[in-house]
Structure formats: C-alpha cells, structure tokens
C-alpha cells in the first residue's frame, strides 16, 4: 500500500520559513517523480514543485520559484520542501504527491500527481 505522510506544517510569520517533510512507503521511491501540491483556501489545488528520480532536476511553479526548494533523499524515501520568504497567500494545505513512474519529462501538472498524502496545514499570518 502506498503511503505518504507529511509533517512540518504550522504557523509562520510573513517572511518566515518552514520545512515540510514527507515519508514515503509502499513503493520503490527512486523510480518515481515526486512533488508537492497545495490546496488554497476557497480556491483549487495548485501544483507547486517536483523533482526527478535522482533529485538532480527540480521544477517550480512561478508562484513559489526562488522562494521554495524541493529535494529528496532516496536512501530514506523522503521528500522535502523548504519554504522561505513565506507570504500570507502561501497559506494552504500542502500535500506530498507521487508522480509518474520513470519519467524524464520537464513539465508537470496536477494530473501527474494523483496519489497524495493526508496533507499538512501551513498558515502564514502575523
């Protein structure tokens, strides 16, 4: 059974930072693209970041580029998201998501990440 468990969410002030973690199990982690998506309040879901199989390539939505950093540790089957310079509009539930198998693509959408964890709430407020 595929399991994705996020942690690290919480309350941050504008300009602050948080690091999210995701522990994966039930599948061969390093065979899959991994990513993060978020559910914005009263809005839809947004794909925000992905990393390729070995973590050498990283992809970001424009809304988080230059502020967020994704990386993975294949030895631990873990995925991370460092969020810097947080803004109130980053308030959302963040989901770790399993992407395509053995893919070398360089563009992504929500549809690529249908298997997700339970989410972790991030609230950015003063």
């Amino acid at each position: 059974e595929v399991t994705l468990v996020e942690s690290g969410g919480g309350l941050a002030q504008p300009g602050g930072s948080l690091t999210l973690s995701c522990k994966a199990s039930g599948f061969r982690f390093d065979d899959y693209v991994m990513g993060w998506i978020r559910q914005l309040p009263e809005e839809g879901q947004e794909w925000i970041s992905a990393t390729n199989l070995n973590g050498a390539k990283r992809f970001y939505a424009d809304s988080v580029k230059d502020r967020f950093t994704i990386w993975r540790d294949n030895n631990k089957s873990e995925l991370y998201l460092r969020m810097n310079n947080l803004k109130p509009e980053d308030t959302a539930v963040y989901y770790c998501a399993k992407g395509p198998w053995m893919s070398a693509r360089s563009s992504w959408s929500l549809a690529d990440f249908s298997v997700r964890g339970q989410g972790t709430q991030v609230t950015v407020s003063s």
Side-chain angles (χ1 to χ4, degrees), residues 10-37:
L11 176 65
Q13 292 189 338
S17 299
L18 286 172
T19 299
L20 306 183
S21 301
C22 171
K23 178 64 177 178
S25 61
F27 63 102
R28 188 179 173 94
F29 185 75
D30 52 1
D31 279 354
Y32 288 85
V33 172
M34 294 296 297
W36 291 93
I37 63 173

Side-chain angles (χ1 to χ4, degrees), residues 12-69:
Q13 292 189 338
S17 299
L18 286 172
T19 299
L20 306 183
S21 301
C22 171
K23 178 64 177 178
S25 61
F27 63 102
R28 188 179 173 94
F29 185 75
D30 52 1
D31 279 354
Y32 288 85
V33 172
M34 294 296 297
W36 291 93
I37 63 173
R38 65 186 180 183
Q39 175 75 54
L40 299 164
E42 301 179 1
E43 298 182 39
Q45 294 180 334
E46 177 186 24
W47 168 81
I48 56 172
S49 188
T51 179
N52 73 331
L53 307 186
N54 65 4
K57 296 182 179 180
R58 305 172 185 183
F59 310 91
Y60 301 96
D62 288 343
S63 58
V64 305
K65 193 174 182 180
D66 298 327
R67 298 189 298 121
F68 290 12
T69 302

Side-chain angles (χ1 to χ4, degrees), residues 1-4 24-27 115:
E1 178 186 4
V2 173
T3 303
L4 300 167
S25 61
F27 63 102
V115 179

Side-chain angles (χ1 to χ4, degrees), residues 36-107:
W36 291 93
I37 63 173
R38 65 186 180 183
Q39 175 75 54
L40 299 164
E42 301 179 1
E43 298 182 39
Q45 294 180 334
E46 177 186 24
W47 168 81
I48 56 172
S49 188
T51 179
N52 73 331
L53 307 186
N54 65 4
K57 296 182 179 180
R58 305 172 185 183
F59 310 91
Y60 301 96
D62 288 343
S63 58
V64 305
K65 193 174 182 180
D66 298 327
R67 298 189 298 121
F68 290 12
T69 302
I70 187 173
W71 75 101
R72 64 192 294 164
D73 185 334
N74 285 347
N75 291 325
K76 296 182 179 179
S77 296
E78 293 186 354
L79 181 72
Y80 307 93
L81 185 70
R82 175 69 175 179
M83 306 183 293
N84 292 331
N85 190 20
L86 283 163
K87 304 175 181 181
E89 52 263 42
D90 293 318
T91 295
V93 179
Y94 285 73
Y95 297 90
C96 170
K98 176 173 165 277
W101 178 74
M102 300 292 278
S103 176
R105 287 166 43 203
S106 59
S107 64

